[in-house]
């Protein structure tokens, strides 16, 4: 996209957000909506400062945030180190596909909350069950993006590599992996999204920490300002993670869409 | 003993009810430049895939140096029309891909690379990514990537068909120079009769339904440019005869 067009679209995005904020300010200052449903931006800011100073439920806000991020990143870490090789191998080796694919396809459409109670029964109410829930949510997008990438590989890449003397193993590491890398990043971005949407569920049951828990717990007492602080915190972090992944992909996968 | 022997080979793609090629017999020697011509869909690329070892014939056999061809090998290199260069690698990494996979000594790789970069005029582009290059330069990389491996047989599947005339002429010269210094057996597939007459020491004609090799002709105009023969009726007679054969 040309630079001028890019700045125009960026301006449009900023303007949309500005208009929404303006509407918010108007609605709250003119008391068009009850404060319990939509607190003012000033109140949310003040609550953020208060939570940062004195915490929520006896735990500082940054601790809630770090606990949530730790759960998220641990789950994503395991989903990446297991999902990428599993997806690539499943696409490349028939017998691996025969073993793995039916299991992933079975798990994929099930809402994570459906098996969360089972995970708690098996792994306890501590961190492992929460991380496992997020892991199972993040695994299928990564697996499927890798598997699809291998299925779509231009056959001539594989044939030419074999005719240049590469073994099947060398082809896997030197052709299959780099060809799949752009899709791996796409899968990773989807996985972050799915894990993110699951985080509140993971912290909803048998938990007393994390931003997700803070949102759920404050909702019981109609503390909408606290809920908004948690939601904004998660939203901004989500946008930041996605932006970082996009930048990382642009830097690493410089050949995306080129031949 | 011939370098390559193709005996009574027939092949039918699993997804196709009709036979692709049948009763193909061929022999090719080392240090020869062979061009296969024939109408579209006659099975020229199928023949190349069989020689490369990507597919196995249902009938007949293919042998190289007396050994059956059973799978792909660096001894039979191939340049596809789309070249299949690796966009995540730069020019040097693309060219040296084969020797690195074969775990050739780095000193030997460096020496071959330096020679090939010079012969193909790619020295200035050695650190460029292949997607940054023009079609002609990409073709040079594709040729260098094969010649560095020094395969006994090198196949080119319509490799120059997408190039403009000027670039194609340049590529013909580069191919002839590389072939002269390597002495390998080159097999070129083309639908361009003038390219066949310029590049083919031997012209192999495929026709019929299913496709088969009907004739192998020693080309009297090998390496003779079309422009030089503008007033030579014998040249045009020969060209006409080839065209009739592939209709």
């Amino acid at each position: 996209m040309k630079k001028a067009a890019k700045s125009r679209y960026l301006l449009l995005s900023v303007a949309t957000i500005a208009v929404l904020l303006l509407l918010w300010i108007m609605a709250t200052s003119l008391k068009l909506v009850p404060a319990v449903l939509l607190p003012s931006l000033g109140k949310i800011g003040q609550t953020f400062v208060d939570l940062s100073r004195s915490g929520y439920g006896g735990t500082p806000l940054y601790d809630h945030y770090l606990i949530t991020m730790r759960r998220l990143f641990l789950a994503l870490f395991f989903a990446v180190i297991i999902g990428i090789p599993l997806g690539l191998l499943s696409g490349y080796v028939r017998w691996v596909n025969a073993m793995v694919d039916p299991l992933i396809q079975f798990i994929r459409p099930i809402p994570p909350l459906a098996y969360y109670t089972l995970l708690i029964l098996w792994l306890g109410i501590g961190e492992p069950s929460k991380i496992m829930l997020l892991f199972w949510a993040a695994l299928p997008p990564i697996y499927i993006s890798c598997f699809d990438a291998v299925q779509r590989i231009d056959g001539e890449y594989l044939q030419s590599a074999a005719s240049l003397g590469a073994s099947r193993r060398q082809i896997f590491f030197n052709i299959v992996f780099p060809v799949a890398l752009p899709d791996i990043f796409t899968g990773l971005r989807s996985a972050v999204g799915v894990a993110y949407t699951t985080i509140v569920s993971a912290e909803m049951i048998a938990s007393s920490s994390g931003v997700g828990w803070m949102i759920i717990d404050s909702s019981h007492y109609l503390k909408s300002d606290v809920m908004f602080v948690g939601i904004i915190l998660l939203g901004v972090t989500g946008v930041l993670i996605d932006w970082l992944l996009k930048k990382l992909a642009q830097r690493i996968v410089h050949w995306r869409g080129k031949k | 003993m011939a370098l390559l022997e193709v005996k009574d080979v027939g092949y039918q793609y699993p997804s196709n009810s009709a036979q692709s090629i049948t009763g193909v017999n061929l022999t090719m020697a080392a240090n020869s430049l062979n061009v296969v011509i024939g109408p579209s869909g006659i099975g020229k690329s199928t023949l190349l895939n069989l020689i490369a070892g990507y597919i196995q014939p249902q009938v007949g056999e293919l042998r190289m140096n007396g050994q059956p061809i059973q799978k792909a090998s660096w001894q039979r290199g191939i340049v596809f029309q789309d070249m299949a260069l690796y966009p995540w690698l730069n020019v040097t990494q693309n060219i040296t891909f084969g020797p690195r996979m074969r775990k050739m000594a780095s000193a030997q790789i460096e020496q071959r690379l330096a020679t090939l970069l010079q012969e193909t005029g790619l020295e200035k582009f050695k650190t460029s990514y292949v997607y940054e290059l023009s079609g002609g330069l990409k073709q040079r990389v594709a040729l260098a990537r094969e010649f560095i491996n020094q395969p006994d047989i090198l196949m080119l599947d319509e490799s120059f068909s997408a190039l403009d005339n000027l670039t194609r002429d340049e590529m013909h010269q580069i191919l002839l120079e590389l072939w002269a210094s390597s002495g390998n057996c080159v097999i070129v597939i083309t639908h361009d009769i003038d390219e066949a007459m310029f590049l083919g020491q031997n012209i192999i004609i495929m026709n019929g339904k299913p496709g088969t090799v009907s004739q192998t002709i020693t080309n009297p105009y090998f390496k003779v440019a079309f422009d030089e023969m503008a007033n030579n009726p014998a040249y045009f007679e020969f060209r006409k005869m080839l065209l009739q054969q592939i209709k």
Side-chain angles (χ1 to χ4, degrees):
Chain A
M1 204 188 301
K2 283 183 181 164
K3 219 173 179 178
K6 218 172 167 178
S7 335
R8 250 201 323 272
Y9 288 122
L10 182 68
L11 198 68
L12 194 64
S13 301
V14 173
T16 309
I17 295 167
V19 168
L20 284 175
L21 287 175
L22 206 67
L23 287 172
W24 190 333
I25 290 166
M26 277 170 62
T28 50
S29 56
L30 298 172
K31 298 196 187 321
L32 298 174
V33 184
V36 73
L37 296 182
L38 188 69
S40 69
L41 290 176
K43 171 76 178 153
I44 293 170
Q46 186 55 51
T47 306
F48 176 73
V49 173
D50 293 345
L51 288 173
S52 303
R53 277 187 193 145
S54 48
Y56 184 86
T59 308
L61 181 63
Y62 69 85
D63 266 356
H64 282 300
Y65 184 73
L66 289 179
I67 287 165
T68 298
M69 289 302 126
R70 183 175 169 272
R71 286 168 183 159
L72 184 78
F73 284 110
L74 270 175
L76 283 171
F77 171 74
F78 288 117
V80 163
I81 61 163
I82 293 171
I84 292 174
L86 213 58
L88 294 178
L89 279 170
S90 180
Y92 192 58
V93 185
R94 287 292 283 274
W95 65 265
V96 176
N97 177 260
M99 283 173 68
V100 174
D101 202 56
L103 297 176
I104 301 283
Q105 297 305 338
F106 175 75
I107 291 165
R108 194 169 65 97
I110 302 174
L113 262 186
Y115 47 80
Y116 189 30
T117 321
L118 273 179
L119 289 177
I120 291 173
L121 286 172
W122 291 340
L123 302 169
I125 58 166
E127 291 302 291
S129 58
K130 293 174 184 59
I131 292 165
M132 187 61 97
L133 181 78
L134 298 177
F135 165 78
W136 280 118
L139 185 72
I142 295 177
Y143 168 88
I144 286 164
S145 63
C146 291
F147 176 79
D148 283 350
V150 179
Q151 295 296 300
R152 285 201 314 272
I153 287 183
D154 183 346
E156 288 186 354
Y157 278 148
L158 306 177
Q159 289 177 329
S160 66
S163 290
L164 286 166
S167 64
R168 228 170 118 67
R169 188 187 154 89
Q170 286 173 322
I171 290 173
F172 181 77
F173 287 108
N174 293 282
I175 305 291
V176 173
F177 181 68
V179 168
L181 210 47
D183 291 294
I184 290 175
F185 272 100
T186 310
L188 190 54
R189 286 176 64 196
S190 303
V192 171
V194 177
Y196 230 76
T197 54
T198 315
I199 194 100
V200 178
S201 312
E203 293 179 343
M204 198 167 73
I205 302 169
S207 183
S208 58
S209 61
V211 180
W213 171 80
M214 190 179 86
I215 295 168
I216 295 295
D217 190 70
S218 58
S219 72
H220 296 150
Y221 308 103
L222 285 177
K223 292 180 183 171
S224 50
D225 52 338
V226 178
M227 287 166 68
F228 269 104
V229 168
I231 288 166
I232 292 169
L233 213 53
L234 285 182
V236 170
T237 310
V239 170
L240 264 176
I241 293 173
D242 194 61
W243 178 80
L244 274 173
L245 281 173
K246 234 160 55 178
K247 287 287 158 199
L248 202 64
Q250 277 169 7
R251 184 170 278 265
I252 296 174
V253 196
H254 54 84
W255 66 89
R256 184 194 280 263
K258 295 168 183 162
K259 266 204 153 187
Chain B
M1 187 200 300
L3 173 68
L4 176 72
E5 291 171 278
V6 180
K7 285 184 195 166
D8 294 322
V9 163
Y11 186 79
Q12 180 179 353
Y13 284 97
S15 55
N16 203 331
S17 59
Q19 189 87 4
S20 176
I21 56 171
T22 188
V24 173
N25 285 287
L26 264 181
T27 55
M28 287 185 199
N31 197 18
S32 64
L33 225 163
N34 312 276
V35 175
V36 182
I37 56 169
S40 291
I42 202 73
K44 301 188 292 290
S45 294
T46 305
L47 180 62
L48 234 55
N49 284 335
L50 285 160
I51 297 171
Y54 301 146
I55 51 176
Q56 296 299 311
Q58 286 101 3
V59 184
E61 61 172 358
L62 294 102
R63 288 178 175 270
M64 183 179 157
N65 289 322
Q67 299 298 313
I69 294 173
Q70 287 167 332
K71 59 176 186 171
S73 155
W74 67 267
Q75 291 164 316
R76 294 181 304 280
I78 187 160
V79 179
F80 296 103
Q81 187 178 353
D82 284 343
M83 294 168 277
L85 295 173
Y86 309 135
W88 56 93
L89 302 179
N90 65 25
V91 167
T92 298
Q93 291 163 333
N94 261 284
I95 295 174
T96 58
F97 183 85
R100 284 188 288 118
M101 294 301 110
R102 292 168 51 209
K103 305 203 184 317
M104 198 183 276
S106 353
Q108 199 179 1
I109 297 177
E110 287 300 320
Q111 188 206 339
R112 286 189 190 184
L113 174 70
T115 311
L116 274 163
L117 284 174
Q118 195 187 12
E119 284 175 336
T120 51
L122 286 168
E123 284 155 312
K124 273 196 300 187
F125 306 97
K126 61 184 181 183
T127 55
S128 304
Y129 283 99
V130 287
Y131 57 76
E132 296 169 328
L133 306 180
S134 66
L137 288 173
K138 282 181 188 167
Q139 277 294 352
R140 291 174 193 225
V141 178
L143 278 183
R145 188 172 73 168
E146 292 302 330
F147 274 99
I148 199 169
N149 244 356
Q150 299 184 351
D152 293 331
I153 297 174
L154 173 60
M155 294 165 276
L156 289 90
D157 190 357
E158 306 262 13
S159 300
F160 308 138
S161 63
L163 302 176
D164 61 79
N165 288 342
L166 198 68
T167 314
R168 192 171 355 182
D169 288 348
E170 279 174 18
M171 293 311 301
H172 288 165
Q173 290 305 333
I174 290 170
L175 175 66
L176 288 172
E177 281 162 26
L178 291 173
W179 170 69
S181 58
S182 70
N184 56 7
C185 166
V186 174
I187 308 170
V188 178
I189 281 188
T190 181
H191 59 260
D192 182 334
I193 204 88
D194 298 316
E195 184 171 76
M197 285 176 70
F198 183 72
L199 285 182
Q201 204 176 27
N202 305 302
I203 298 177
I204 297 157
I205 297 167
M206 283 188 80
N207 50 28
K209 231 172 199 177
T212 194
V213 170
S214 62
Q215 219 178 335
T216 301
I217 301 169
T218 306
N219 176 18
Y221 302 104
F222 174 49
K223 291 203 269 187
V224 177
F226 180 80
D227 307 345
E228 296 168 33
M229 291 287 120
N231 299 316
N232 185 341
Y235 177 86
F236 287 98
E237 273 305 309
F238 184 72
R239 189 175 186 276
K240 198 172 154 190
M241 182 272 289
L242 287 178
L243 277 170
Q244 276 167 350
Q245 293 272 343
I246 61 168
K247 266 185 184 163

